[in-house]
Amino acid sequence: MHSDKASIGLRIAAWGGLLFLHFPIFIIFLYAFNTENAAFSFPPQGLTLKWFAVAFARNDVLDAIVLSLQVACIATLTALVLGTLAAAALYRRAFFGKESLSLMLILPIALPGIVTGIALLSAFKALGIEPGVLTIVIGHATFCVVIVYNNVIARLRRTSHNLIEASMDLGADGWQTFRYIILPNLGSALLAGGMLAFALSFDEIIVTTFTAGHERTLPIWLLNQLSRPRDVPVTNVVAMLVMLVTMLPILGAYYLTRGGDSVAGSGGK
C-alpha cells in the first residue's frame, strides 16, 4: 500500500515537472494563432491563421529558413561521413593516443558554446577566412560529428564481430563487408544520428553568433526580433516552426534507437 502511494506521488511529480518545462512551449504555440488585438493578453481573445500567411510572405523569414535548412543539411551530411569514419577507425584498432583522440572528438559537445564559438572565430581570423555560410557549417559540424560518432560507435559495439569475420571468410573484401554487413546494421543508428544532428544544427545560436558574420540563420533572426515588439505574432509563428522542426527529429531518433539492443548480430536473445 505504501509503495502504491509512493508510485502515485512520483508520477504526479514527474507529470508536474513535465508540465512546468513544457508550459512555455504551449504558450508559444497558442500565441502563434492569437488575434492581432489580443497579442499581449492571456487567455487569447480569439484564434486566427493570419500570422502564418504574414510570416511566410516575408522575404527575411524565408531567407532565414532557407539558410538554416542549407546549413543543417550540409553540416549533417558532413557529420555522417566524418562521424562514421571516425567511429569505424576507433572501434577496433588499439593504438597510441586513441583515448586522447576519442576525447578530442567528444570535447566540442561538452564545451560551452561560447568557448567553441570564440575558438572557431579566432581560428578563422588567423587563417584569413571571412565569416559566412562556410564558417557556420564548419562550426555546426564540430558538434554534429560528435552526435553521429556516439550513435555509430555504440551500434558497432553491439554488433557481433563474427558477422564481419564470416563475410571475410566467404571471400568478401573490405568494401563489400562494409556495404552488405556493417552498413545495414548501422542504418537506424546513422538515421537517428543524422536526425539529431540536423535538429541541433537547425536551432543552434551560440556558435552561430560567432561564425555567421552578416548571415542570419533562423535562430539569429528570432534573436533580433526580441527588439521588435510589433512583430510578436510573426515571431511566435517562426518560433513554433523552429520547435517543430527540432522536436520531430529528436522524437524520431528516440524511437529509432530505443530498440538498439535487438539489431542483427548484437547477441541479444
Side-chain angles (χ1 to χ4, degrees), residues 5-266:
K5 290 182 178 179
S7 178
I8 293 173
L10 287 173
R11 290 181 183 179
I12 293 174
W15 282 107
L18 287 173
L19 180 63
F20 176 77
L21 290 173
H22 291 88
F23 183 73
I25 297 177
F26 170 74
I27 294 297
I28 293 294
F29 274 57
L30 185 62
Y31 269 77
F33 299 93
N34 201 7
T35 57
E36 181 177 4
N37 294 332
F40 296 99
S41 65
F42 187 85
Q45 311 261 321
L47 301 176
T48 180
L49 294 174
K50 170 186 175 182
W51 303 116
F52 288 83
V54 173
F56 290 108
R58 289 179 51 165
N59 290 330
D60 58 335
V61 174
L62 295 177
D63 291 341
I65 292 173
V66 170
L67 178 59
S68 288
L69 289 173
Q70 179 184 0
V71 169
C73 288
I74 298 174
T76 300
L77 289 174
T78 303
L80 285 171
V81 174
L82 297 181
T84 303
L85 292 176
L90 295 174
Y91 164 57
R92 287 188 58 201
R93 299 287 182 248
F95 53 87
F96 177 76
K98 176 180 177 179
E99 297 302 323
S100 299
L101 190 57
S102 299
L103 178 62
M104 289 177 63
L105 276 169
I106 299 173
L107 199 57
I109 203 72
L111 287 174
I114 190 169
V115 174
T116 303
I118 293 173
L120 286 170
L121 180 60
S122 300
F124 293 143
K125 291 295 185 182
L127 294 172
I129 302 175
E130 289 298 321
V133 177
L134 176 62
T135 56
I136 301 175
V137 170
I138 294 173
H140 288 198
T142 58
F143 56 82
C144 288
V145 167
V146 182
I147 302 299
V148 176
Y149 169 79
N150 284 337
N151 276 270
V152 173
I153 203 161
R155 180 59 55 85
L156 285 173
R157 288 169 179 165
R158 293 197 299 265
T159 302
S160 175
H161 187 63
N162 292 334
L163 292 173
I164 301 174
E165 291 180 344
S167 174
M168 294 295 190
D169 289 341
L170 292 172
D173 57 26
W175 168 248
Q176 290 173 322
T177 300
F178 177 78
R179 180 180 177 185
Y180 296 109
I181 303 299
I182 299 176
L183 198 57
N185 279 280
L186 295 180
S188 59
L190 286 172
L191 183 57
M195 293 169 72
L196 282 172
F198 180 89
L200 287 176
S201 174
F202 189 82
D203 73 346
E204 209 291 322
I205 187 169
I206 300 177
V207 174
T208 310
T209 302
F210 289 93
T211 59
H214 297 294
E215 301 289 344
R216 287 204 304 176
T217 60
L218 205 53
I220 291 181
W221 182 91
L222 283 170
L223 182 63
N224 292 336
Q225 288 297 109
L226 294 178
S227 61
R228 300 177 181 178
R230 292 186 178 181
D231 282 348
V232 166
V234 175
T235 304
N236 288 332
V237 170
V238 178
M240 176 181 171
L241 172 66
V242 172
M243 284 186 284
L244 286 175
V245 170
T246 55
M247 186 190 309
L248 296 178
I250 291 173
L251 289 174
Y254 165 73
Y255 283 108
L256 281 171
T257 55
R258 66 175 181 172
D261 289 337
S262 61
V263 295
S266 63

